[in-house]
Amino acid sequence: MFWRILKKDLKRKKTMNVIILLFVILCSMFAAASVNNIVAVVGGLDYYFEKAGISDYHIIDRSTDGEDTISEILEHSETVSDYRTENVVYASCDNLKKENGKLMDFTNIALVCDIGDTKQNFFDMNNEAVTEVEQGKVYITGSIPKREGVKTGDRFYVELGSTKLPLEVAGFAKDALLGSEMMGNPRLLINHADFETLMDDETIRTYNCGHVYYISTDQVTALESELNEQKGLLFSGGTDLIKMTYVMNMLVAVIILVISAGMLIVSFVVLRFTIKFTISEEFREIGVMKAIGLKNSSIRVLYLVKYSGIALVGAVIGYFGSVPFGNMLLESVSENMVLGNDNSTMIGIICCIAVVLIIMLFGWGSTGKIKKLSPIDAVRSGQTGERFKKRSIMALGKSRLGSTGFLALNDVTSEPKQYGILTAVFAICTALVMILAVTANTLDSGCMLYLLSMTESDVYLTDSSRAMEIIAGTKTICETEDEIADILAENDMPGNVYLEGWYKLPVTAKNGSFQINFLKCADTVTTDYDYTDGSAPMKPDEIAVTKQISKKLGAEIGDRVTVKIGSEEREFIITAYFQCFNNLGEAIRFHQDVEIADTLMTSSFSYQITFDDHPDKAVIEERIEKLKDIFDNQNIFDTKGFVKDCMGVGDTIAAVKNLVLMLSLIIIILLAVLMERSFISKERAEIALMKAIGFGNTSVIAHHTMRFGITVLTGIVAASVLLMPLTKLIMDPIFGMMGAVGSIDYQFGVLEIFGLYPAIIFCVTILSAALTALYTRIIKPSDTASIE
């Protein structure tokens, strides 16, 4: 009899049981995928760096004719336990050419490396180590090649000095040191013989050579002091700094984890509510079972067996679904990283077992009410007839709503716990989509230009070839600016051209000596930039620093520091704090009149162009397209495009947002169908009574649909009210890791965030509820007394 009752229950309530099964699958899938992703992301960079063989400290320098003075310091340094050196050749995008143009456009300098001489491990897209490259072939690292449309099999040549080296793209690789979006330095991994071909060129050895040092040390600060006097350092930093360059990738990962956790919570809340709700509405079946002699324990076991069976089936399906689902969530993050989890199978199984146990716990707790039910409840429809307080705060006689509207609103206010859970689910789903939309809009807008430490201009032109000429000393900043200005004038687009340079210089202060990046542009004034505290530098001996640098140096506003510029030491006074994303917030700004040799420049921003005739947005866009052809350069943007290109993850977050919207809609549809089907089953007698007193099918359907409409609108309003606090709570700490210690000017696309997405969620909810409510048409007035 026991199994017969169970079998009939599963058959009789197919819809309810199928929906519960779907939520179990969702819970298992989210649980296994989320926990595995958390393990992969939280330990991801450590796992990746260990696999790649990254050291404690790294230096990239530019040398002349193979000289290596840094190795001499490292060889005799007591702070260094071990170091490895590899030779590299530097190239710009203009040095990588196809027959019909450049191979790809990129902003920074590329490093050409001998695969046999590399001192770290590189991985292909399948996370297999790249140890060999055939002669005439090349592996390219970073995300830039794919973004630029480079494909396996593409042929091009490296043209440096008098050498023209033909190569074919063999594949793409992941580079732990320089492969992040913020570093943006592609590496070309080539055969030893091909590398020797380049090194045989005297011009290349003189102007395009350098080294990458991998240093093992536990005294980073002391090592930085020892290297403080070295010239030609293009980059230096410890493992913590390298990790922070992946902050944009981690931003996406953190958002995915928040989403996974949110969806998991929603699934568990709905599942618990569903189990509790379905048991509470089965008063008739429970009463009958007690009437025929079944004990409380037997009835509870019956339900536990039912839910354990559903839970086991759902957990198994959910586990297998979690593997591709988790990989899909991490795909955008792992494009430049090797994210691994050696125990993913075991973690997934444990998570699914945990889901089954939690469901059993829900079932056991929810069946506790069985003890209070008696056989007479089957006759009384689960009601005792006693009520000692008002059912609702509303009164029909005072309501200006129609009968249908009053009934819907009265139901919602009379059952605050029941409809409150629905409201919370709608609010969470809506808020997640809204927060992602705000983040994507902010990253894609030009409003974050101030966080890149740049002034606004009409056009931003990235030209790494001219930057390399400045660094090599073959041209000055003014000469390259004049070249671009002349080209503009020749094409009837006269304008002012200026370049923001980066200079890595030794600084001595209270906490010691450090090499720090300085910003300086001779064609702007310091008052054009934003500052969080203090006043802009007004004299050549005044500087502005970020809070991170202030802490590092132990120097605040009003303090003096010593900067070595070339062979001369000068004193500067700190007058202001500013914030920036550049170098993760570690930067200092010079006054525009500070004299510094162009050859000390280690890097630069894009050339900024301000047209003389002050064109509108449409004209600027037309000119940008012309300039791309004139300069044969696709890295030419307006303000919005430039910021989007620098941030690099706006499109990824937009894709994640669409994924979350899809998942939210699936949960909302399942929830609406489940709850409406439950309401119909529970309220069968009330629906029959409504029809008996004159309500038609349309009114009944409208009544049931309006309840969901009121609930989802409440959830949307709650999500809208909480949007700004939640966005700041989640996103401010992440942007703070990137260097933004002040407030962020979040961008709200009103029509999209408060119009489009709420409308989609509202319409899907209403449609799901209305279609499910059509089932009420089969209920007849005669069913009022039905106790089947």
Side-chain angles (χ1 to χ4, degrees):
M1 182 183 71
F2 185 89
W3 293 108
R4 190 165 61 250
I5 294 173
L6 182 61
K7 184 178 179 182
K8 285 187 175 180
D9 180 80
L10 290 171
K11 284 184 177 180
R12 184 170 57 88
K13 296 190 174 181
K14 286 182 181 178
T15 304
M16 299 290 290
N17 292 327
V18 166
I19 293 176
I20 292 175
L21 175 63
L22 290 174
F23 271 106
V24 173
I25 292 172
L26 282 176
C27 281
S28 303
M29 190 169 69
F30 276 121
S34 298
V35 174
N36 270 316
N37 286 359
I38 288 171
V39 173
V41 171
V42 171
L45 286 175
D46 291 329
Y47 178 90
Y48 183 25
F49 285 7
E50 182 180 350
K51 290 281 187 182
I54 293 298
S55 297
D56 302 313
Y57 197 79
H58 308 84
I59 298 172
I60 301 176
D61 79 336
R62 185 176 67 85
S63 61
T64 303
D65 201 21
E67 66 177 3
D68 187 1
T69 57
I70 293 179
S71 286
E72 297 178 12
I73 297 174
L74 299 178
E75 187 70 35
H76 299 93
S77 174
E78 295 181 358
T79 64
V80 176
S81 59
D82 183 36
Y83 74 94
R84 295 162 287 160
T85 308
E86 66 181 62
N87 297 316
V88 296
V89 171
Y90 298 118
S92 71
C93 60
D94 290 329
N95 301 127
L96 312 179
K97 298 181 179 180
K98 298 172 72 175
E99 293 299 333
N100 57 349
K102 287 183 288 188
L103 174 68
M104 55 183 174
D105 277 305
F106 51 88
T107 305
N108 298 328
I109 298 171
L111 282 68
V112 184
C113 307
D114 176 359
I115 189 64
D117 184 49
T118 56
K119 299 304 186 291
Q120 73 168 71
N121 298 321
F122 299 89
F123 303 90
D124 61 20
M125 292 300 103
N126 295 319
N127 295 336
E128 298 293 333
V130 178
T131 56
E132 296 181 357
V133 179
E134 294 181 28
Q135 187 170 357
K137 302 243 178 129
V138 60
Y139 274 84
I140 308 177
T141 69
S143 59
I144 294 173
K146 288 188 176 180
R147 193 164 64 228
E148 289 292 310
V150 179
K151 298 180 179 62
T152 301
D154 284 354
R155 296 179 181 273
F156 69 101
Y157 50 89
V158 178
E159 186 173 10
L160 285 167
S162 58
T163 302
K164 191 173 181 180
L165 177 67
L167 295 170
E168 178 184 334
V169 178
F172 305 96
K174 300 178 182 181
D175 177 4
L177 180 61
L178 299 174
S180 67
E181 291 284 353
M182 294 191 73
M183 295 295 275
N185 295 93
R187 288 215 223 194
L188 278 68
L189 307 176
I190 61 176
N191 182 273
H192 175 72
D194 290 330
F195 189 80
E196 286 299 313
T197 300
L198 295 176
M199 292 299 293
D200 288 340
D201 190 316
E202 184 178 350
T203 302
I204 295 176
R205 288 201 310 272
T206 303
Y207 296 107
N208 297 91
C209 277
H211 307 89
V212 180
Y213 302 88
Y214 302 83
I215 306 166
S216 298
T217 178
D218 55 2
Q219 302 179 54
V220 170
T221 303
L223 177 61
E224 287 181 336
S225 296
E226 291 183 31
L227 296 168
N228 200 30
E229 300 294 324
Q230 288 301 304
K231 298 179 182 179
L233 298 189
L234 302 180
F235 172 81
S236 61
T239 305
D240 290 340
L241 177 62
I242 302 300
K243 285 182 179 179
M244 290 303 295
T245 65
Y246 285 88
V247 70
M248 298 309 293
N249 301 81
M250 300 307 289
L251 168 63
V252 178
V254 169
I255 289 173
I256 288 172
L257 295 185
V258 171
I259 291 163
S260 298
M263 292 296 184
L264 181 61
I265 291 170
V266 167
S267 297
F268 271 126
V269 168
V270 172
L271 187 59
R272 180 183 182 278
F273 179 73
T274 302
I275 293 173
K276 192 172 182 179
F277 184 79
T278 52
I279 290 176
S280 66
E281 73 168 4
E282 294 182 355
F283 55 86
R284 185 174 293 115
E285 291 85 344
I286 295 170
V288 170
M289 283 190 284
K290 285 196 171 185
I292 63 175
L294 288 179
K295 296 181 180 180
N296 289 328
S297 58
S298 298
I299 299 172
R300 295 184 79 174
V301 169
L302 179 67
Y303 280 103
L304 289 178
V305 170
K306 169 185 171 182
Y307 288 118
S308 64
I310 294 174
L312 286 171
V313 173
V316 171
I317 297 173
Y319 169 74
F320 287 106
S322 70
V323 177
F325 179 67
N327 291 338
M328 179 182 67
L329 288 179
L330 282 181
E331 184 178 357
S332 59
V333 184
S334 60
E335 183 177 345
N336 298 332
M337 303 165 61
V338 177
L339 291 180
N341 178 7
D342 296 331
N343 301 308
S344 59
T345 302
M346 182 59 65
I347 289 174
I349 293 173
I350 291 173
C351 288
C352 291
I353 292 174
V355 170
V356 173
L357 294 176
I358 291 172
I359 291 171
M360 296 295 289
L361 184 64
F362 288 166
W364 180 257
S366 300
T367 56
K369 288 186 177 181
I370 289 175
K371 293 183 290 185
K372 298 180 181 180
L373 294 174
S374 64
I376 197 66
D377 289 309
V379 179
R380 291 178 174 174
S381 298
Q383 302 294 327
T384 63
E386 297 177 338
R387 188 172 73 235
F388 300 100
K389 59 182 179 180
K390 291 178 64 177
R391 175 176 170 80
S392 173
I393 59 174
M394 299 178 62
L396 180 59
K398 298 179 181 179
S399 175
R400 296 184 180 181
L401 299 173
S403 57
T404 302
F406 172 82
L407 288 173
L409 186 57
N410 183 64
D411 286 349
V412 173
T413 56
S414 299
E415 298 285 351
K417 186 176 181 180
Q418 178 174 280
Y419 288 97
I421 293 176
L422 282 174
T423 301
V425 172
F426 291 138
I428 292 172
C429 291
T430 306
L432 285 174
V433 177
M434 285 181 165
I435 290 170
L436 288 176
V438 170
T439 304
N441 290 343
T442 302
L443 291 172
D444 282 353
S445 70
C447 71
M448 301 191 81
L449 181 68
Y450 73 99
L451 289 171
L452 298 175
S453 298
M454 298 183 72
T455 56
E456 189 166 358
S457 57
D458 295 327
V459 173
Y460 302 81
L461 185 155
T462 302
D463 194 328
S464 55
S465 296
R466 285 185 167 87
M468 285 186 65
E469 290 176 333
I470 297 170
I471 295 171
T474 57
K475 289 183 182 178
T476 65
I477 292 176
C478 287
E479 287 174 345
T480 60
E481 290 173 343
D482 291 341
E483 283 180 3
I484 296 173
D486 290 342
I487 294 172
L488 293 174
E490 290 170 4
N491 289 274
D492 299 322
M493 293 181 282
N496 181 35
V497 181
Y498 52 98
L499 180 70
E500 189 97 43
W502 282 81
Y503 305 83
K504 200 171 184 68
L505 303 171
V507 182
T508 303
K510 178 181 176 181
N511 288 349
S513 297
F514 307 90
Q515 287 228 358
I516 295 175
N517 286 299
F518 284 75
L519 296 164
K520 188 237 176 178
C521 180
D523 301 298
T524 59
V525 293
T526 52
T527 52
D528 292 340
Y529 301 87
D530 292 308
Y531 302 91
T532 57
D533 294 293
S535 57
M538 302 301 291
K539 299 177 182 179
D541 65 343
E542 296 178 349
I543 57 174
V545 305
T546 61
K547 286 286 185 69
Q548 292 89 329
I549 289 297
S550 174
K551 183 178 180 180
K552 185 172 186 176
L553 296 176
E556 301 177 346
I557 292 177
D559 292 341
R560 291 183 177 273
V561 299
T562 302
V563 181
K564 188 171 184 180
I565 303 176
S567 59
E568 180 185 0
E569 290 189 349
R570 304 185 203 173
E571 272 200 353
F572 293 85
I573 185 170
I574 300 172
T575 65
Y577 292 137
F578 68 101
Q579 59 179 340
C580 68
F581 283 160
N582 313 112
N583 204 41
L584 299 174
E586 293 196 358
I588 299 177
R589 176 166 294 285
F590 275 133
H591 186 270
Q592 65 270 11
D593 293 334
V594 169
E595 294 183 2
I596 181 170
D598 291 350
T599 52
L600 293 177
M601 191 182 87
T602 56
S603 184
S604 67
F605 284 126
S606 299
Y607 286 92
Q608 295 178 248
I609 301 171
T610 303
F611 295 114
D612 293 341
D613 55 351
H614 308 293
D616 58 24
K617 183 178 179 180
V619 174
I620 291 175
E621 289 177 355
E622 291 178 5
R623 291 183 178 180
I624 287 174
E625 294 306 315
K626 292 180 181 178
L627 291 173
K628 287 179 179 179
D629 293 332
I630 293 170
F631 287 96
D632 187 23
N633 187 345
Q634 296 302 308
N635 290 316
I636 303 177
F637 310 98
D638 59 7
T639 302
K640 181 178 178 180
F642 176 73
V643 174
K644 182 177 180 179
D645 181 69
C646 289
M647 303 307 292
V649 295
D651 291 338
T652 302
I653 292 179
V656 173
K657 172 194 66 181
N658 293 332
L659 174 62
V660 172
L661 178 61
M662 180 186 69
L663 293 174
S664 297
L665 294 179
I666 291 173
I667 288 179
I668 287 170
I669 291 170
L670 290 173
L671 180 62
V673 172
L674 169 68
M675 297 310 300
E676 175 55 22
R677 191 67 183 83
S678 301
F679 291 152
I680 294 172
S681 177
K682 181 181 179 181
E683 300 168 6
R684 188 179 186 90
E686 289 89 335
I687 295 170
L689 179 61
M690 289 176 66
K691 291 188 176 182
I693 63 176
F695 283 86
N697 285 326
T698 303
S699 296
V700 174
I701 293 171
H703 164 226
H704 280 243
T705 304
M706 286 178 67
R707 294 190 297 194
F708 282 90
I710 294 169
T711 305
V712 73
L713 279 176
T714 306
I716 289 171
V717 171
S720 301
V721 171
L722 296 173
L723 176 59
M724 193 60 197
L726 288 175
T727 301
K728 293 181 71 66
L729 177 67
I730 296 171
M731 300 310 303
D732 276 7
I734 297 173
F735 285 128
M737 293 167 58
M738 298 165 60
V741 296
S743 60
I744 300 294
D745 184 16
Y746 290 103
Q747 296 299 297
F748 294 84
V750 177
L751 292 178
E752 176 191 15
I753 295 170
F754 299 108
L756 177 62
Y757 299 124
I760 292 174
I761 291 172
F762 178 81
C763 291
V764 167
T765 305
I766 293 297
L767 183 61
S768 302
L771 291 176
T772 309
L774 293 175
Y775 183 77
T776 59
R777 292 184 298 182
I778 69 171
I779 300 175
K780 304 182 293 294
S782 59
D783 291 330
T784 303
S786 174
I787 60 169
E788 63 176 11

